[in-house]
Amino acid sequence: MAVSRLLEDVLSAEPVVVGREASIAAHVRAGLDARLRALRAHEAGTRVGEDPEELHQMRVSVRRMRAMLRSARPFLDRDESERLRAELGWLGRALGPVRDLDVLLERLRSEFTGLPGTERGAAEQLVSGLDPEYLRARADMLSALDSDRYQELLELLARATRELPGRGSDVDAASQLRRLVRSQFGKLRKAVERLPPEPADAELHALRIDGKAVRYTAELAEPLLGAPVKRLIKATKGFQDVLGEHQDACVAEERIRALLDGFGPRPDAGIAFAAGRLVEREEVRKADRRARWPESWYALGAAAAEV
């Protein structure tokens, strides 16, 4: 499908750079420009599918653009920014299933490579049950990338890097962004304070999502607020990593059990044994991350206090 003239012009021009005195809307336009370039840079590799990192980076670009638009919503034209955010959400949903399966398959296959030969063969047979789902997910993703809707989204993004309008006061953008970061962290702190002594897996997963909102808001503010926000971003990433590993273990355990169920009420003993070994490892990992996340939360709180 042909690239539009506007998109071609934006990508061939020098990257957008704005000064510290620029408005929040101008910083958003510069951020969209950088992420649009990254999205396009990883699109070809995503289509080929040989290196999962290409899809990962494409999906990260989409997420960061959505988060940036959400964080800066009070300072942007709502009609323009919300339409763009909704379309980025559609693209994220098109990319997500393949990326999630990439992560799961890499995780499971790395687990059973160290098993004895017979057990490894049984584990490979178990995990091969994901292959049809993966092929369907890739077909759906490629269909989305080949669609007119995707081309229209690229056009919207290209236009937004130049024309996305702001709203409200652009005076003292640094103070406005600091308030946004503190407000986002405040939401996360309240969520942590509401947790029971033994949080459910879903509650810890929700914290990770709230942590992403803090991180992406901080990334928008970093050019203006400097070192304290950079430390906050690092601490937030540590918090996300621990909770993300916990969630990955939860998902892996659930999928292993579902794959075993697919073999019926009396699965082959080798397959059942391999599934048990894999589940056991995920349970150990979950318990470890549960024990570690409070420490990462305290580090994040200390970093937030400096902003």
Side-chain angles (χ1 to χ4, degrees):
M1 199 170 290
V3 175
S4 76
R5 179 62 183 271
L6 174 60
L7 179 61
E8 196 172 60
D9 288 347
V10 166
L11 295 177
S12 62
E14 290 296 314
V16 174
V17 178
V18 295
R20 292 176 60 87
E21 73 286 350
S23 68
I24 293 176
H27 280 280
V28 171
R29 289 192 291 270
L32 290 174
D33 179 80
R35 296 302 172 195
L36 173 59
R37 292 170 189 272
L39 185 146
R40 288 291 285 177
H42 294 287
E43 182 185 327
T46 295
R47 288 176 178 274
V48 172
E50 293 179 355
D51 182 359
E53 185 64 18
E54 295 287 340
L55 170 56
H56 174 54
Q57 292 302 324
M58 189 175 182
R59 190 186 186 195
V60 165
S61 296
V62 172
R63 282 180 166 177
R64 289 186 172 173
M65 284 190 280
R66 289 197 77 228
M68 188 185 308
L69 291 166
R70 183 180 184 276
S71 298
R73 187 164 44 188
F75 308 102
L76 301 173
D77 178 273
R78 291 287 180 91
D79 291 340
E80 293 285 338
S81 65
E82 289 301 292
R83 178 190 177 197
L84 185 53
R85 203 164 77 88
E87 288 303 291
L88 285 166
W90 163 78
L91 179 57
R93 290 189 295 276
L95 301 176
V98 181
R99 175 56 188 166
D100 291 344
L101 284 166
D102 278 338
V103 171
L104 179 62
L105 287 166
E106 181 181 6
R107 182 187 190 89
L108 295 179
R109 285 173 175 148
S110 69
E111 283 294 321
F112 64 61
T113 51
L115 295 176
T118 303
E119 291 181 27
R120 185 168 62 250
E124 287 172 349
Q125 187 177 350
L126 176 75
V127 173
S128 68
L130 293 170
D131 291 345
E133 180 182 348
Y134 187 80
L135 291 174
R136 288 194 300 271
R138 268 200 59 83
D140 290 343
M141 179 188 74
L142 292 174
S143 177
L145 294 179
D146 288 337
S147 69
D148 290 340
R149 185 173 183 178
Y150 178 60
Q151 293 303 314
E152 290 164 5
L153 170 55
L154 294 176
E155 185 84 4
L156 282 175
L157 286 168
R159 190 176 303 115
T161 66
R162 297 185 172 185
E163 301 174 3
L164 184 66
R167 63 190 289 269
S169 173
D170 286 331
V171 177
D172 197 4
S175 293
Q176 293 171 329
L177 286 170
R178 182 176 282 107
R179 282 195 294 272
L180 278 179
V181 172
R182 288 174 174 172
S183 173
Q184 202 66 62
F185 176 77
K187 294 175 184 177
L188 174 59
R189 184 183 61 241
K190 289 177 181 177
V192 171
E193 291 170 349
R194 288 193 298 266
L195 288 177
E198 291 295 330
D201 292 339
E203 289 172 316
L204 292 179
H205 180 49
L207 285 190
R208 181 194 181 200
I209 294 171
D210 290 341
K212 284 182 183 179
V214 174
R215 179 180 171 188
Y216 293 151
T217 303
E219 287 178 347
L220 176 62
E222 184 187 357
L224 289 178
L225 302 183
V229 171
K230 187 173 290 188
R231 289 192 289 273
L232 175 62
I233 292 169
K234 181 178 179 181
T236 308
K237 185 177 184 300
F239 178 74
Q240 283 180 253
D241 286 348
V242 173
L243 291 178
E245 289 162 7
H246 176 271
Q247 176 63 14
D248 287 347
C250 291
V251 171
E253 180 183 348
E254 182 180 338
R255 295 306 301 270
I256 293 164
R257 293 183 187 279
L259 287 169
L260 182 61
D261 287 344
F263 285 88
R266 292 178 177 239
D268 175 83
I271 291 174
F273 183 78
R277 288 282 293 268
L278 294 174
V279 165
E280 181 182 4
R281 292 183 182 188
E282 298 302 342
E283 288 177 338
V284 169
R285 208 173 263 119
K286 278 171 58 177
D288 176 73
R289 285 3 177 229
R290 270 187 170 273
R292 286 170 47 191
W293 83 264
E295 181 181 350
S296 69
W297 165 244
Y298 297 140
L300 174 53
E306 298 178 8
V307 176

